[in-house]
Amino acid sequence: MRAASLALLTLVLVGCPKQVDTRVAGSDDEQLATYEARLEELRSRASMRDLACEDECSLGRETCEVAEDLCEVVSRNQDRPDLPRRCAKAREACAEGTDGCARCQSR
């Protein structure tokens, strides 16, 4: 029963990915919060075991797109010393996604 529930949950999470437009109106801080939440969601989905390689690569590409959007907001606010760290963290998530895709393609 537990295995069936876990399989169903996995199918729902992987089979029905949310397509969320990450470009939002509002302040730069609101945009950064939205991008960071999206990156966390993508990271969570990517951490699931037994993802198809196509899904893993798709998550990696989307992670990199969101990371670049976040870094674009950071670049508009060069006077804020707290933001470059957030861009670096987003780019690390992109690199992890790219690495995951490359690993599955090399199998």
Side-chain angles (χ1 to χ4, degrees):
M1 177 72 178
R2 182 175 176 187
S5 296
L6 183 58
L8 181 60
L9 176 62
T10 300
L11 180 62
V12 168
L13 290 174
V14 174
C16 301
K18 296 177 189 172
Q19 295 298 324
V20 178
D21 185 8
T22 56
R23 292 180 294 274
V24 295
S27 73
D28 285 346
D29 285 326
E30 290 168 335
Q31 287 183 341
L32 289 169
T34 299
Y35 292 141
E36 287 173 331
R38 183 68 179 138
L39 286 171
E40 186 57 37
E41 178 185 348
L42 292 167
R43 184 177 298 118
S44 175
R45 285 177 46 204
S47 70
M48 295 175 50
R49 295 179 185 222
D50 300 326
L51 281 178
C53 190
E54 181 180 318
D55 293 332
E56 193 155 344
C57 291
S58 177
L59 287 172
R61 283 189 300 274
E62 190 172 350
T63 298
C64 290
E65 290 170 7
V66 174
E68 286 309 307
D69 289 343
L70 184 146
C71 290
E72 183 179 311
V73 174
V74 169
S75 71
R76 292 195 307 250
N77 293 278
Q78 294 181 358
D79 59 324
R80 291 187 50 190
D82 60 315
L83 296 185
R85 173 183 50 80
R86 293 164 83 173
C87 177
K89 186 176 178 182
R91 287 198 170 134
E92 286 173 11
C94 172
E96 290 170 8
T98 303
D99 289 346
C101 177
R103 276 192 308 271
C104 78
Q105 288 180 335
S106 67
R107 290 184 217 151

